[in-house]
Amino acid sequence: MSVKKYTDAEIRLIAKDIRKKSIEMVYSASSGHPGGSLSIADILAVLYFREMNVNPENPVDPDRDLLVMSKGHASPALYATLSLRGFFPTTLLPGFRKISSKLEGHVHFGVPGVEASTGSLGQGLGIAVGMAIASKLDSKKNRVYAIIGDGEIEEGSIWESFMAASKYRLDNLTVIIDRNGVQLDGFTDQIMPLPNIPERLRAFGWNVIEIDGHNIAEITASLKKARETKGVPTFIYARTVKGKGVSYMENNPKYHGSPPGSEDLYQQALMELEAGA
Amino acid sequence: MKGNTESLREAYGEEIARLGEADRDIVVLDADLSTSTKTSIFGSKFPERFFNMGISEQSMVATAAGLALSGKKVYASTFSVFLMRTYEQLRQSVCYNNVNAKFVVTHAGITVGEDGATHQIVEDVGIMSGLPNMSVVVPVDSVETKSVIRYLHDHTNTPYYVRLTREKFPVLNGPDYEFEPGRSTTFRDGSDMTIIANGAMVSFSLDAAELLKTKGIDARVINMASVKPMDREAVIKAARETGRIVTAEEHSIYNGLGSRVCEITADAYPVRVSRVGMKDTFGKSGKSWELFDYFHMGVNDIARISEELFREENRYESIS
């Protein structure tokens, strides 16, 4: 766990900073994925500034908690979080997606604090399963986290990994789904309807917790409950808003993978985020 | 097959179980084929380090990447044809992260025999060779298989694809043989031409060289188990010293051993190359050794194709 104790208000300020930096990065790069970065910012803030045991002084500390960003297009939010947590200077963030930078368009293993390259959907959860098995073999007390998208679970490989985590009773594994209801081509309900996700996961043998993915107290409580659950992996069903905090991006599939289209829209996004809760 | 034959997959199963005794970091994964791939030997000895992932190859490969990222030495097995459905997991999770995971697959090529075309993959070496960071090995016998597994464990920490077969193959290497990536073995020296082969095709090529000898053609035979990296110097030396090359592989003539030999000769020392292998086609059911003749890849075919190349070249020489 983080050494400094942050209040909920401070965590919210960090999440705001993650959002603003995400917008700055995609605007500077003229490309990238703002929607799914804004939806996951609160969860990342709680994980990295309250819940997870990570050490920016030694990013490969053998006892650290591990997080795999299976929805690897949320790279702006993860990079911003890691830099704010001290893994690398925030001055490097404008290099995002540029040829001189390590900050690849999708989450990249070479960046301090990143545990695995991801970007092709459906694979990061399997990587996290392998990490959780390895921790069990080594009798480690660390925890493994995977963040998956609600479009991503249309990949069959995700369900293979759900089975495996259940079989191997990976109670050191917590999976958080960013349930924002939007994917690249439209709304998940229309592209490939998948109702009753919590029931499906319970049927797969998981401990399921449903939360508001923008409520700091609920996020915190769910992660604690996951930590205390023995014998089964935990699935946190986090209801979120795609593009959270920028009015014209919220619930708009266009901003799954497009930056603000003009300087005015860019300034509006930053202003709205600054003014937001 | 004649002579003393031994199973390559049993050699793998025994060797990884032996290595597993001393090295507790070795973990083995399978996808419901462990009694066929022989990872079951490891599984019964070390059940706590053996993970049967079910018929879920994508999950197996991604999990292998995660275990390796956490410092485990991972060996994952299934039939070659089924690993191919995980190309993208291999690309992104394994090769891009450049992890210490080995994919030792069995039942590759047409020697699966009766199971037929659906299971006879002849494209895999090409698919795997195209992946950055992936190395590709096609062992010739049980001795080489054990040596490969030992070498990979002792000296490497990057992804490997090791291609094994259902059938037993003749033992061609002596007990002291030691595999090294990028190093070939010359099983027979010769000056008129060189047959570069791997896997099942090496013993066929040695028999073909005997036939060629009766016709006054002196053929060198090289075992090129390490397809990637390839023994470039041996290929160039064969081109320079013997002037003609025949390649022989239990694989498509596209994107495999033959193609890679052509790349080297075209690049460094152009000579005529004839390729023996599957010609852009699927296999079929049959006894595995019948299939080599059916697809014009048997001993007589290698000898005939080699002789044609030899005579053709001589014809050009006599005209000039």
Side-chain angles (χ1 to χ4, degrees), chain A residues 229-268:
Chain A
T229 299
K230 299 299 168 203
V232 292
T234 291
F235 182 85
I236 297 177
Y237 182 81
R239 281 182 300 272
T240 59
V241 176
K242 190 111 171 183
K244 172 76 174 173
V246 178
S247 57
Y248 63 88
M249 288 188 175
E250 287 193 359
N251 292 309
N252 185 349
K254 177 182 174 185
Y255 291 100
H256 167 85
S258 308
S262 68
E263 180 68 21
D264 285 351
L265 285 171
Y266 172 57
Q267 293 302 340
Q268 183 190 338

Side-chain angles (χ1 to χ4, degrees), chain B:
Chain B
M1 277 226 135
K2 60 186 185 182
N4 174 30
T5 62
E6 284 184 10
S7 162
L8 281 64
R9 53 195 165 111
E10 273 171 28
Y12 160 55
E14 288 164 9
E15 193 62 16
I16 197 62
R18 192 186 66 76
L19 290 167
E21 286 170 18
D23 189 343
R24 310 289 296 174
D25 278 335
I26 293 178
V27 296
V28 175
L29 282 66
D30 207 299
D32 192 43
L33 289 170
S34 67
T35 51
S36 297
T37 64
K38 302 301 173 190
T39 58
S40 55
I41 301 170
F42 184 98
S44 53
K45 261 174 107 170
F46 308 108
E48 73 287 358
R49 286 187 279 140
F50 175 74
F51 301 92
N52 196 326
M53 304 300 291
I55 310 169
S56 305
E57 294 82 8
Q58 299 178 81
S59 160
M60 177 179 79
V61 173
T63 301
L67 282 158
L69 281 164
S70 284
K72 298 298 171 190
K73 297 166 190 167
V74 186
Y75 294 77
S77 295
T78 177
F79 289 0
S80 172
V81 67
F82 304 134
L83 189 75
M84 295 305 117
R85 74 192 294 144
T86 74
Y87 173 77
E88 218 203 344
Q89 275 80 12
L90 290 166
R91 180 179 186 274
Q92 320 262 2
S93 293
V94 172
C95 290
Y96 188 49
N97 285 316
N98 202 14
V99 297
N100 188 8
K102 318 301 184 195
F103 298 88
V104 186
V105 299
T106 66
H107 295 64
I110 57 172
T111 42
V112 186
E114 292 85 345
D115 275 347
T118 55
H119 285 49
Q120 294 166 349
I121 189 151
V122 292
E123 312 91 66
D124 54 314
V125 171
I127 294 168
M128 293 296 110
S129 296
L131 286 167
N133 293 336
M134 181 70 92
S135 300
V136 177
V137 185
V138 183
V140 72
D141 63 9
S142 60
V143 173
E144 183 160 63
T145 300
K146 286 195 176 188
S147 183
V148 167
I149 300 303
R150 260 194 320 275
Y151 185 94
L152 299 193
H153 172 264
D154 293 350
H155 301 291
T156 72
N157 58 9
T158 56
Y160 268 76
Y161 177 75
V162 181
R163 185 196 211 225
L164 306 179
T165 48
R166 191 192 76 166
E167 285 284 350
K168 297 175 176 180
F169 285 177
V171 180
L172 300 179
N173 284 294
D176 297 333
Y177 169 76
E178 284 185 25
F179 168 83
E180 261 183 56
R183 199 187 67 186
S184 63
T185 313
T186 301
F187 276 136
R188 176 195 174 107
D189 206 2
S191 55
D192 290 333
M193 62 192 317
T194 302
I195 307 174
I196 300 177
N198 61 20
M201 303 299 275
V202 177
S203 69
F204 288 173
S205 298
L206 287 167
D207 290 348
E210 285 301 311
L211 290 178
L212 291 167
K213 188 181 168 190
T214 64
K215 302 191 174 187
I217 302 169
D218 183 23
R220 181 180 300 179
V221 178
I222 290 175
N223 171 29
M224 192 65 77
S226 180
V227 175
K228 184 188 171 189
M230 187 170 280
D231 189 343
R232 187 180 162 87
E233 292 314 308
V235 175
I236 295 170
K237 189 163 177 277
R240 195 172 56 234
E241 292 178 358
T242 72
R244 312 163 183 86
I245 293 174
V246 172
T247 62
E249 61 198 302
E250 189 191 343
H251 185 271
S252 171
I253 58 169
Y254 298 119
N255 303 326
L257 173 69
S259 290
R260 298 217 150 225
V261 166
C262 289
E263 285 168 15
I264 293 171
T265 55
D267 184 44
Y269 200 96
V271 296
R272 284 290 311 277
V273 177
S274 291
R275 288 170 291 160
V276 178
M278 296 288 281
K279 291 159 195 72
D280 200 23
T281 184
F282 289 103
K284 73 178 299 302
S285 282
K287 295 224 177 299
S288 48
W289 306 117
E290 294 170 348
L291 291 168
F292 285 96
D293 292 332
Y294 183 90
F295 287 109
H296 306 296
M297 295 159 60
V299 174
N300 291 328
D301 299 298
I302 298 170
R304 175 178 50 78
I305 290 161
S306 299
E307 188 181 352
E308 280 170 10
L309 180 64
F310 180 76
R311 304 279 178 224
E312 192 180 354
E313 292 267 326
N314 272 359
R315 184 164 57 84
Y316 292 138
E317 281 165 16
S318 61
I319 292 166
S320 65

